[in-house]
Amino acid sequence: MTDSAGPPSDPDRPAEDKPQDRSRDRSREESGRPEDEAPGGTTSEGPSPEGPAPEDGPPQDDAPQEEGPAAPEADEAAAEAGEGDSTEGGPAESGPKAGSESGPKAAAGADGVQTWADRPKAGIVAARKSHWLRWTALAASFLVLVAAGVGWWMYKKLDGNITTDTSAAAELKAYEKERPTPVVMDAQNILLIGSDSRAGDNRKYGRDDGGSQRSDTTILLHLAADRKSATAVSIPRDLMVEIPSCSTGDDKKSREQFTQFNTAFELGGTACTIRTVERMTGIRIDHHMVVDFNGFKDMVDAVNGVEICLKEPIDDKDAHLELPAGRQKLNGEQALGYVRARKSLGNGSDTERMERQQQFLGALVNKMQSNGVLLNPTRLYPVLDAATKSLTTDPGLDSLRDLYDLVRGMRDVPTEQVQFLTVPRQPYRNNPNRDELVEPDAGDLFKQLREDKPVAVVPADELEEAERDKESGQDGKPDDAGSESPTPTPTYSGSSAADDLCKQ
């Protein structure tokens, strides 16, 4: 091949930078000539660096423009773009026309520069995502630790609020042989005692006799073994009973005596009261709780008050209570006055006061269940905090776990099966200001509870009407003495937590 092929290109200039190539491409684009025509109008049949010589034979030493350093790299880029097998332009096809993909970027891409152009972006995104995930995990871990710490603090606080009555447990253990034997193991019998002490913060509610304890309210709570019912039986404080010899606070023994019930608590505290109830009923007491005035008030406030309905207005200075008639919501202080009021309401008897206490406790239970307090730990905490601050229990209920298990067992009991009644009683024959048990009704009630059998309650007026019909022989049943029927469920005067006080 001669030098007529054109002036040699600068070996130091890359092939894609040759002015001839750029001018030729521009002229092709402007004139629309096919690629096989030379710039001067001649075809590629003449000697030309763009001819097929590089593909028809070995590379020529005198055509360095076709064998420059960039040619192999351009061919590689063209092959990757699907253009390497073109026979019309040969290496020229991988020159300026493919320059947008295989020019400087392609040459640089062989050295890895193209990859690094994208890597910083992907690396930044990945780094940011990893950074965000680490901080999210750290924040979540911190919140879990805080929640666990708060939960542990709350648990320890509530647990520490409870006072354990170890002295009662010790005395009951000393008299274990005389105590009743449990009949139904899964049933629970808990004695609830409302302390009437005027010591400390309770001083404003009456005269303080040296801080002496009196049981203003005593309730025997029976939880059925299947936890489908709960029966609360009030024991009148003026009920005449046999009180055993009990240990007193000065390490002495009281004498066995027949006197009113609340004397037992004053003489020998909780242990003496439990032994008195067990002797009277034959029911084994599994646990006990003593709650004072402030604990009751705080519990009512913790559930944001309890609604009642009054048929008549109340104005009782001794109970610090003044309320209009009708439906209204009582706060803790008002509720305490309501359940303690006696002389200014009804006939002034302790019997009517117990009925008001039962109705109010039913409304309190209904409020706690209807508002989901027992199912919501955040709402249950204030109630437990209020209760535990003024609560004294036996060692079997002196932890928050024990109390929560007890409450959890009661939360599914239907409100209509949470029943309240008073032991069958009548005025004491020797003193009408005292009470005595009515037999055999009282014995039948204790037997039902002892054996974990059902008990039914109805309002007092309905029970009285049923008794009148029974005495007159108008019980509505056919006279068929020969037929056998199951033993009817004993029915007593009382109420349930589902009762609406304003509809009675």
Side-chain angles (χ1 to χ4, degrees), residues 82-266:
E83 299 171 359
D85 52 351
S86 175
T87 58
E88 293 181 355
E93 289 296 317
S94 60
K97 186 174 182 180
S100 59
E101 296 295 334
S102 58
K105 288 186 178 180
D111 297 331
V113 177
Q114 181 180 7
T115 305
W116 281 110
D118 292 336
R119 280 182 181 175
K121 297 179 182 179
I124 290 174
V125 172
R128 288 178 179 175
K129 183 180 293 187
S130 177
H131 184 72
W132 181 83
L133 290 175
R134 285 198 301 270
W135 273 105
T136 302
L138 182 61
S141 302
F142 177 75
L143 290 177
V144 169
L145 290 175
V146 170
V150 172
W152 178 249
W153 176 84
M154 292 169 60
Y155 178 87
K156 295 299 291 183
K157 182 178 184 295
L158 293 174
D159 209 49
N161 287 344
I162 305 171
T163 301
T164 306
D165 187 0
T166 55
S167 60
E171 183 168 354
L172 291 174
K173 185 176 181 180
Y175 291 95
E176 180 63 34
K177 291 183 179 180
E178 70 176 37
R179 301 185 65 192
T181 302
V183 178
V184 181
M185 300 303 297
D186 292 333
Q188 291 282 307
N189 295 292
I190 304 170
L191 196 64
L192 308 176
I193 302 173
S195 174
D196 197 21
S197 173
R198 266 48 172 203
D201 294 337
N202 295 332
R203 189 176 295 109
K204 66 179 180 179
Y205 299 112
R207 180 173 54 88
D208 179 21
D209 296 331
S212 62
Q213 297 185 98
R214 286 164 287 188
S215 57
D216 185 62
T217 301
T218 303
I219 297 176
L220 173 59
L221 176 63
H222 174 78
L223 301 179
D226 58 6
R227 295 302 188 268
K228 293 183 178 179
S229 66
T231 305
V233 181
S234 295
I235 302 175
R237 67 177 188 174
D238 294 334
L239 183 69
M240 299 300 292
V241 296
E242 288 282 351
I243 297 179
S245 174
C246 301
S247 299
T248 61
D250 53 2
D251 295 331
K252 296 181 180 180
K253 294 279 188 179
S254 65
R255 61 181 179 84
E256 186 173 332
Q257 52 190 303
F258 181 75
T259 184
Q260 64 188 63
F261 174 72
N262 67 342
T263 304
F265 193 72
E266 187 174 358

Side-chain angles (χ1 to χ4, degrees), residues 187-192 218-235 277 281 283-286 358 361-362 365 369 406 409-410 413-424 441-442 444-458 489-497:
Q188 291 282 307
N189 295 292
I190 304 170
L191 196 64
L192 308 176
T218 303
I219 297 176
L220 173 59
L221 176 63
H222 174 78
L223 301 179
D226 58 6
R227 295 302 188 268
K228 293 183 178 179
S229 66
T231 305
V233 181
S234 295
I235 302 175
V277 172
T281 64
I283 298 173
R284 172 78 174 221
I285 303 300
D286 300 298
Q358 294 168 5
L361 289 176
V365 171
Q369 288 196 349
L406 176 64
M410 294 182 60
V413 179
T415 53
E416 61 271 12
Q417 291 301 319
V418 180
Q419 303 178 120
F420 299 88
L421 69 152
T422 303
V423 296
D441 296 349
D444 292 342
L445 171 63
F446 299 147
K447 183 175 184 294
Q448 291 293 113
L449 298 178
R450 186 167 55 247
E451 297 178 356
D452 195 31
K453 295 181 178 179
V455 172
V457 298
V458 296
T489 300
T491 303
Y492 300 91
S493 172
S495 60
S496 75

Side-chain angles (χ1 to χ4, degrees), residues 181-448:
T181 302
V183 178
V184 181
M185 300 303 297
D186 292 333
Q188 291 282 307
N189 295 292
I190 304 170
L191 196 64
L192 308 176
I193 302 173
S195 174
D196 197 21
S197 173
R198 266 48 172 203
D201 294 337
N202 295 332
R203 189 176 295 109
K204 66 179 180 179
Y205 299 112
R207 180 173 54 88
D208 179 21
D209 296 331
S212 62
Q213 297 185 98
R214 286 164 287 188
S215 57
D216 185 62
T217 301
T218 303
I219 297 176
L220 173 59
L221 176 63
H222 174 78
L223 301 179
D226 58 6
R227 295 302 188 268
K228 293 183 178 179
S229 66
T231 305
V233 181
S234 295
I235 302 175
R237 67 177 188 174
D238 294 334
L239 183 69
M240 299 300 292
V241 296
E242 288 282 351
I243 297 179
S245 174
C246 301
S247 299
T248 61
D250 53 2
D251 295 331
K252 296 181 180 180
K253 294 279 188 179
S254 65
R255 61 181 179 84
E256 186 173 332
Q257 52 190 303
F258 181 75
T259 184
Q260 64 188 63
F261 174 72
N262 67 342
T263 304
F265 193 72
E266 187 174 358
L267 287 175
T270 303
C272 191
T273 302
I274 292 174
R275 292 176 59 207
T276 301
V277 172
E278 289 182 341
R279 173 177 289 195
M280 177 178 65
T281 64
I283 298 173
R284 172 78 174 221
I285 303 300
D286 300 298
H287 301 290
H288 71 269
M289 299 182 188
V290 181
V291 184
D292 69 10
F293 291 158
N294 285 310
F296 176 80
K297 288 192 308 179
D298 293 342
M299 286 182 63
V300 174
D301 287 332
V303 297
N304 195 28
V306 175
E307 282 192 352
I308 64 166
C309 198
L310 298 176
K311 296 180 180 179
E312 299 178 355
I314 299 177
D315 187 5
D316 191 322
K317 294 182 180 179
D318 293 337
H320 307 282
L321 186 65
E322 183 176 356
L323 297 171
R327 183 185 293 272
Q328 54 203 291
K329 183 164 63 173
L330 304 185
N331 60 28
E333 190 72 29
Q334 293 170 328
L336 179 60
Y338 177 73
V339 299
R340 292 185 63 247
R342 177 177 178 178
K343 298 178 181 179
S344 62
L345 297 179
N347 59 13
S349 67
D350 192 46
T351 300
E352 286 197 357
R353 180 170 71 166
M354 284 188 297
E355 291 176 355
R356 286 194 305 274
Q357 292 173 350
Q358 294 168 5
Q359 292 172 350
F360 186 86
L361 289 176
L364 176 60
V365 171
N366 194 22
K367 176 70 176 288
M368 294 178 68
Q369 288 196 349
S370 62
N371 284 8
V373 175
L374 298 180
L375 299 176
N376 189 339
T378 59
R379 301 191 66 181
L380 181 61
Y381 174 79
V383 178
L384 291 176
D385 185 45
T388 54
K389 283 180 179 177
S390 302
L391 189 66
T392 301
T393 74
D394 62 277
L397 281 181
D398 65 345
S399 72
L400 186 61
R401 180 184 296 274
D402 296 327
L403 288 177
Y404 185 74
D405 289 342
L406 176 64
V407 173
R408 185 176 58 183
M410 294 182 60
R411 69 186 182 186
D412 294 329
V413 179
T415 53
E416 61 271 12
Q417 291 301 319
V418 180
Q419 303 178 120
F420 299 88
L421 69 152
T422 303
V423 296
R425 82 282 182 214
Q426 62 187 11
Y428 180 44
R429 65 180 65 90
N430 295 329
N431 184 351
N433 294 322
R434 301 289 182 264
D435 291 327
E436 65 179 3
L437 295 176
V438 175
E439 297 294 358
D441 296 349
D444 292 342
L445 171 63
F446 299 147
K447 183 175 184 294
Q448 291 293 113

